Amino acid sequence: MNFCNELTIALSQIASPEDAISMRAYMKENFHYLGVKTEARRHVLKELIAIHVDEVKSNYRTITLELFQQPYRELHQCGIDLLLQFSKKDWQESDNVLLEQLLLTNSWWDSVDTLAKYGVGAYLVKFPEKKHSLIENFSNSDSMWLQRTAIIFQLGYKSKTDFDLLKAECLKHSQSNEFFIQKAIGWALREYGAVNPNGVIEFVNTASFKPLSRKEALRKLIK
C-alpha cells in the first residue's frame, strides 16, 4: 500500500458526510470532499509522515503531485502541507516547474493563495535571480490563477517587498474583469500598505483601478 492510499483510508475513517456537504457548498461545488476538517486532517498527515518519514522525505515532490491528482480536496491540501513542510530547506532551482504544475492543477483560491505565498514566495527568496522571468511568465499566462500568483506572491515579504514590481503587476492587470484578480490587487496593496501606507495610498489615488481593487487596497489605510 502506498502513502497516498494509506492517507486516503485514514482520512476516510474519520470523515463526516455532513461536513463534506457544507465544505462542498463553501467551495462552490468545485471539489469533492471526504468531510475532514483542517486540524484533524493535519493530525492524520503528521502521524503517517512519522511512520513513513524516510519514504516521504525522499519522495515528497512525487507524493505531492500524486495527491493533487486525487478526487478529494483534503488530499490536495495534504499535498500542499507536505510540500511546504519538506521543501522549506530543500528548494531546488527546478521546483519552479513543480510549483507551476500545482498552481494549474485543481486550481481554486485556497490552494493557489497558499502556494503563491508560501511556495512561490519562499522559492524566490532562495532564487531571487529567477524572480523577474518567473513572474513575467506567470503574469503573461492565460491562466487567471498564475496571474493572481504574480500579484500576491510577495504577501509575506513586508518591508522586503519589491514595490516597483508589485505596482507593475497591479497596473498590468488593473482593468481585468476577473473577481479574483481585482481582489488580489487590493489584497496585495493593502498588505504592503501596513509597512508603506503613504506609498500605497499615493499609488492607488493616481492609478486607474476597478472599484473593488481600490476599495480592498484602501480598506485599512483610510478610515
Side-chain angles (χ1 to χ4, degrees), residues 8-222:
T8 303
I9 291 170
L11 291 175
S12 298
Q13 290 173 343
I14 61 169
S16 164
E18 292 79 13
D19 286 339
I21 293 171
S22 61
M23 293 162 90
R24 284 200 309 270
Y26 179 68
M27 297 301 282
K28 308 295 184 184
E29 304 293 334
N30 279 291
F31 304 102
H32 296 293
Y33 276 87
L34 289 165
V36 181
K37 293 185 177 179
T38 301
E39 184 176 351
R41 183 192 82 231
R42 287 180 170 162
H43 178 73
V44 168
L45 179 63
K46 182 179 180 180
E47 288 191 330
L48 283 182
I49 288 174
I51 295 170
H52 303 287
V53 64
D54 291 335
E55 173 195 350
V56 173
K57 189 173 182 179
S58 299
N59 300 285
Y60 69 87
R61 292 176 175 84
T62 301
I63 294 171
T64 295
L65 285 170
E66 185 176 348
L67 287 170
F68 258 71
Q69 299 301 323
Q70 304 307 307
Y72 297 107
R73 194 57 168 171
E74 290 96 336
L75 294 172
H76 309 160
Q77 293 162 337
C78 282
I80 294 173
D81 288 342
L82 194 68
L83 174 68
L84 297 181
Q85 176 180 339
F86 285 95
S87 65
K88 190 171 295 184
K89 296 182 179 179
D90 188 46
W91 287 113
Q92 304 297 312
E93 188 170 354
S94 60
D95 282 335
N96 63 309
V97 177
L98 171 63
L99 287 165
E100 182 171 350
Q101 185 173 351
L102 294 174
L103 286 164
L104 292 172
T105 303
N106 289 309
S107 309
W108 199 242
W109 63 263
D110 59 331
S111 59
V112 168
D113 291 359
T114 304
L115 287 166
K117 179 177 179 179
Y118 298 105
V120 175
Y123 169 83
L124 290 176
V125 167
K126 183 166 183 180
F127 300 105
E129 70 279 3
K130 296 187 71 72
K131 179 174 67 176
H132 289 285
S133 61
L134 187 149
I135 295 306
E136 183 178 12
N137 175 52
F138 282 11
S139 183
N140 291 336
S141 168
D142 291 334
S143 166
M144 179 263 292
W145 298 114
L146 291 184
Q147 294 171 11
R148 180 174 169 93
T149 298
I151 296 167
I152 67 171
F153 81 95
Q154 299 188 87
L155 281 174
Y157 285 18
K158 298 182 180 179
S159 62
K160 295 181 180 179
T161 298
D162 183 338
F163 192 25
D164 287 337
L165 178 58
L166 175 58
K167 288 190 289 186
E169 287 304 312
C170 291
L171 289 173
K172 183 173 182 178
H173 299 286
S174 62
Q175 299 309 303
S176 173
N177 291 319
E178 290 282 2
F179 170 83
F180 286 109
I181 296 298
Q182 293 179 24
K183 286 281 283 190
I185 291 170
W187 183 18
L189 290 172
R190 183 175 70 250
E191 287 294 303
Y192 180 59
V195 296
N196 185 7
N198 292 334
V200 169
I201 291 170
E202 180 181 2
F203 174 58
V204 172
N205 284 337
T206 56
S208 178
F209 287 119
K210 295 282 188 175
L212 178 59
S213 296
R214 178 181 173 83
K215 176 184 176 183
E216 288 296 315
L218 299 178
R219 182 156 54 88
K220 294 182 179 180
L221 302 180
I222 296 181

